[in-house]
């Protein structure tokens, strides 16, 4: 895969547009390489892991709220290739969001055994009251945590532990 893959959601989080590079991207990630399979469907149909949903919800909410874009490093591996990418999440004027993913570098990897270490869930700790996260630098808004790279976004599940922070 080379070049950027771009997709958009509207203000209701429905996928409204995908770029020409999208079918190949979908195919390489085990999806159906047909834009018709995703257009008009909710973004949330495609993010099944609860921890990842929390992070994406936060990113999308903050991008809309701040009207500011964010660029996040993330991993998007296939079974044989380790891909290091960036995802820029940018706001539109009507509540829509544009995702631009770009490959930074990639290399072949040895297939990992199913259920091995790469499949293990990471754990994040979230305050159930103020929704701040604990990620090694004290309690912080998830926007800050993601921007600082304290949580890696990739294809692994994220387990969320809920507690109360020192302020709540
Ligand atoms: Zn709190």
């Amino acid at each position: 895969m080379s070049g950027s893959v771009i997709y958009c959601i509207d203000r209701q989080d429905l996928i409204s547009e995908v770029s020409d590079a999208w079918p190949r991207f979908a195919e390489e990630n085990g999806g159906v390489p047909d834009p018709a399979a995703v257009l008009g469907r909710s973004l949330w149909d495609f993010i099944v892991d609860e921890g990842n949903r929390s992070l994406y919800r936060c990113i999308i909410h903050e991008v809309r709220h701040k009207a500011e874009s964010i660029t996040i490093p993330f991993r998007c591996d296939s079974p044989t290739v380790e891909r290091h990418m960036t995802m820029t999440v940018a706001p539109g004027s009507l509540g829509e969001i544009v995702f631009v993913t770009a490959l930074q570098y990639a290399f072949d990897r040895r297939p990992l055994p199913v259920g091995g270490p790469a499949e293990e869930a990471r754990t994040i700790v979230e305050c159930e009251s103020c929704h701040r996260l604990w990620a090694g630098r004290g309690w912080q808004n998830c926007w800050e945590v993601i921007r600082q790279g304290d949580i890696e976004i990739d294809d692994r599940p994220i387990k969320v532990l809920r507690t109360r922070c020192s302020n709540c």
Side-chain angles (χ1 to χ4, degrees), residues 127 129-132 164-165 167-168:
C127 173
S129 174
C130 67
H131 300 293
R132 289 185 303 163
R164 291 256 167 172
C165 75
N167 289 357
C168 289

Side-chain angles (χ1 to χ4, degrees), residues 3-112:
S4 295
V5 175
I6 302 168
Y7 56 97
C8 306
I9 56 172
D10 66 14
R11 58 194 304 171
Q12 266 113 36
D13 300 340
L14 303 178
I15 297 169
S16 56
E17 224 179 304
V18 297
S19 67
D20 294 345
W22 189 87
R24 188 155 169 224
F25 173 76
E27 190 165 33
E28 286 179 358
N29 289 286
V32 182
D34 178 5
V38 298
L39 287 171
R41 287 184 63 188
S42 171
L43 175 70
W44 307 110
D45 291 351
F46 301 96
I47 305 174
V48 289
D49 175 65
E50 192 46 49
N52 278 293
R53 287 170 83 102
S54 298
L55 290 184
Y56 275 90
R57 256 197 300 271
C58 164
I59 294 165
I60 289 167
H61 176 266
E62 295 283 312
V63 166
R64 283 188 177 128
H65 181 72
K66 293 182 198 295
E68 196 182 295
S69 62
I70 187 172
T71 297
I72 306 159
F74 79 107
R75 286 266 299 276
C76 186
D77 299 345
S78 74
T80 52
V81 183
E82 185 172 316
R83 289 197 290 254
H84 294 255
M85 322 216 7
T86 55
M87 174 170 59
T88 298
V89 186
S93 56
L94 299 171
E96 68 274 29
I97 299 277
V98 182
F99 299 83
V100 181
T101 68
L103 182 67
Q104 303 301 313
Y105 60 95
F107 49 87
D108 293 341
R109 69 177 193 184
R110 272 174 302 192
L112 296 167

